[in-house]
Amino acid sequence: MSSETRAVESRAEAEVVELVSSLIRFDTSNTGDLATTKGERECAEWVAEQLADVGYEPEYIESGAPGRGNVFVRLPGADSSRGAMLLHGHLDVVPAEPADWSVHPFSGAVQDGYVWGRGAVDMKDMDGMMLALARQYKAEGYVPPRDLVFAFVADEEAAGAYGAQWLVDNRPDLFDGVTEAVGEVGGFSLTVPSTDGGEKRLYLVETAEKALGWMRLTATAKAGHGSFLHEDNAVTILSEAVARVGRHEFPLILTDTLEQFLQAVSEETGLPANDELIAKLGSIGRIVGATVRDTANPTMLSAGYKANVIPQTAHATIDCRWLPGRKDAFLAEIDRLLGPDVQREWIAELDDYETSFDGHLVDAMNAAILSEDPNARTVPYMLSGGTDAKAFKKLGIRCFGFAPLKLPADLDFAALFHGVDERVPVEALKFGTRVLDHFLRHC
Ligand SMILES: [Zn+2]
């Protein structure tokens, strides 16, 4: 049934847009620095109020530092002997520069059919859908098939040390009995040309994530006067190593997830299932294209303190992302590129993730999408970045990215993540709420 033929909107559908807009109005900018990160406490307290309003007793938790606010509620299901399901959304966002935007990034403006603002797709859209459904279920006294845990967490945008990672390490009791989870980044539609000359909507369910490693490099050599002959220069040694890493192309590897993705796109479009197909996918191709090989991008450089002094050390930072199962091979290539004179250490390291696209929960996601978009198809894909799934997997929880959105075919969705004029279609939020509702009633 489409929204046009639906006689009455559900309570959740009716309030989801206002909830998302309200969430965006909290400036929860995560700078990665404890001193300047703000707003999470106020936003989490507001979420807790919305949940308490309908009869929950939400737990508010600060994860490792003052103000890093998280909210949890659990809705008991009909069969508590089945594992519980976690729905997780982060409340923090990346910063936004108002001068660059068409509307103020923390206005939550609802105009031209969109809700505008930082977090509209990453991920206050899903937070709002979760909140709307949690409120509806409690208000109606609805009992889901299994326990549902709704988690609104801090610090995802800085890898979760003061959010999901802390909660998993320090409060594992919050996740008692949880076996599966859904969160970002998946469930959105990608429109491709179909073999019959029309269009086909694919819904990308995230089943895998590359690993993340931020690597700090140090070259140490002899300090000296800038005017002398000097063959042992730390700046030169480091620069050459950084250039070798930055220009290196790692081998093409088609993981199980990517092969299934390419196979599905090939079946629908009639184009051959190879990596060249990805380039034809437009905006989404930029994400998927980064999942056919490991990457190592230099991002920071520092050395020296005076124009005529050769410093003893020079530093660089490399953003490393390797495919599931590739860590040893990746590091062997990195070490060969760095050579013997450059040392490396991790600043941050988060594991990869991959699960199969099958089983009861995948069937429930598929049925939920088809109930609202009958000619569509769900396909698995790998995210080039990371999410809080990396933390929850440590507890043995099977994670999926499933925050459903039916998007206009021409919307550059990938560009909205951390981008200027981030926004989400009003109709996509209502669609997503209906899909999630169907999914949660059959999970
Ligand atoms: Zn996110």
Side-chain angles (χ1 to χ4, degrees):
M1 198 180 347
S2 74
S3 57
E4 289 78 29
T5 59
R6 192 167 289 256
V8 185
E9 275 190 331
S10 69
R11 177 194 160 121
E13 260 182 279
E15 69 176 14
V16 66
V17 172
E18 181 51 37
L19 289 172
V20 172
S21 173
S22 299
L23 286 162
I24 291 171
R25 288 199 293 272
F26 289 93
D27 176 356
T28 53
S29 292
N30 185 345
T31 60
D33 176 4
L34 281 178
T36 50
T37 293
K38 59 183 174 187
E40 288 169 341
R41 180 207 314 260
E42 292 78 5
C43 190
E45 284 175 349
W46 180 83
V47 169
E49 276 168 33
Q50 308 312 306
L51 292 164
D53 270 357
V54 289
Y56 285 102
E57 291 176 23
E59 183 172 5
Y60 173 83
I61 305 126
E62 296 203 332
S63 41
R68 309 311 301 259
N70 305 266
V71 177
F72 278 68
V73 290
R74 190 177 279 250
L75 184 65
D79 184 358
S80 286
S81 72
R82 289 181 59 202
M85 192 166 74
L86 171 70
L87 290 104
H88 59 95
H90 61 83
L91 294 175
D92 62 321
V93 296
V94 293
E97 177 50 57
D100 299 338
W101 285 56
S102 315
V103 300
H104 194 282
F106 299 105
S107 65
V110 183
Q111 59 188 52
D112 307 325
Y114 284 83
V115 184
W116 296 69
R118 175 60 83 224
V121 299
D122 186 9
M123 65 177 289
K124 288 175 171 172
D125 54 341
M126 177 66 163
D127 294 332
M129 293 193 275
M130 287 163 48
L131 190 52
L133 289 168
R135 280 165 56 84
Q136 177 178 322
Y137 293 166
K138 193 72 173 179
E140 289 178 352
Y142 172 68
V143 178
R146 61 203 280 205
D147 288 10
L148 300 178
V149 176
F150 293 88
F152 302 85
V153 304
D155 200 33
E156 193 277 341
E157 295 294 358
Y162 293 96
Q165 297 280 352
W166 188 95
L167 294 164
V168 161
D169 292 341
N170 295 277
R171 288 292 310 274
D173 58 297
L174 292 166
F175 307 92
D176 270 351
V178 173
T179 53
E180 293 171 308
V182 294
E184 59 176 355
V185 174
F188 54 86
S189 64
L190 165 67
T191 305
V192 296
S194 60
T195 48
D196 61 10
E199 290 184 327
K200 181 88 173 178
R201 259 189 303 279
L202 306 176
Y203 286 83
L204 276 53
V205 176
E206 190 215 296
T207 56
E209 294 182 4
K210 289 175 91 173
L212 170 161
W214 292 333
M215 182 183 280
R216 182 171 157 91
L217 305 181
T218 304
T220 307
K222 266 211 297 284
H225 197 292
S227 71
F228 294 170
L229 291 175
H230 198 103
E231 277 157 17
D232 195 16
N233 183 322
V235 177
T236 309
I237 293 166
L238 184 90
S239 307
E240 287 172 343
V242 167
R244 284 194 297 272
V245 170
R247 294 198 184 286
H248 183 65
E249 185 170 87
F250 289 85
L252 179 74
I253 311 253
L254 298 186
T255 56
D256 291 351
T257 299
L258 197 76
E259 285 207 354
Q260 286 179 58
F261 174 83
L262 290 177
Q263 194 57 44
V265 176
S266 169
E267 282 168 20
E268 298 303 335
T269 59
L271 298 166
N274 56 36
D275 62 303
E276 285 162 31
L277 177 54
I278 297 167
K280 303 191 174 91
L281 299 180
S283 154
I284 299 298
R286 294 206 301 278
I287 300 177
V288 178
T291 64
V292 300
R293 53 175 49 101
D294 308 329
T295 58
N297 283 312
T299 51
M300 296 167 79
L301 277 175
S302 69
Y305 48 90
K306 181 77 167 65
N308 59 355
V309 179
I310 296 167
Q312 194 170 333
T313 58
H315 299 285
T317 305
I318 313 282
D319 186 342
C320 305
R321 313 285 176 131
W322 58 90
L323 293 164
R326 277 275 306 168
K327 184 176 178 182
D328 291 346
F330 172 81
L331 285 178
E333 281 192 71
I334 286 286
D335 286 340
R336 184 174 57 76
L337 294 166
L338 292 181
D341 300 322
V342 176
Q343 268 56 58
R344 62 170 166 85
E345 62 184 321
W346 292 122
I347 307 168
E349 192 199 341
L350 295 173
D351 232 348
D352 57 67
Y353 180 75
E354 189 165 29
T355 187
S356 53
F357 190 59
D358 56 11
H360 171 70
L361 209 62
V362 168
D363 292 344
M365 287 180 215
N366 195 45
I369 290 285
L370 296 185
S371 74
E372 291 293 333
D373 196 354
N375 295 315
R377 176 172 180 175
T378 53
V379 297
Y381 93 105
M382 183 186 308
L383 181 67
S384 56
T387 74
D388 283 335
K390 292 184 187 317
F392 303 130
K393 87 163 221 181
K394 293 197 289 188
L395 296 172
I397 297 171
R398 188 179 181 209
C399 298
F400 295 91
F402 189 64
L405 293 176
K406 180 180 168 185
L407 300 170
D410 57 353
L411 182 70
D412 187 353
F413 187 60
L416 298 178
F417 282 79
H418 301 191
V420 166
D421 285 343
E422 184 177 349
R423 62 198 185 279
V424 64
V426 164
E427 283 308 315
L429 287 175
K430 294 183 179 234
F431 168 89
T433 304
R434 294 194 299 272
V435 171
L436 266 187
D437 186 20
H438 189 289
F439 169 66
L440 293 176
R441 289 175 193 268
H442 297 85
C443 64

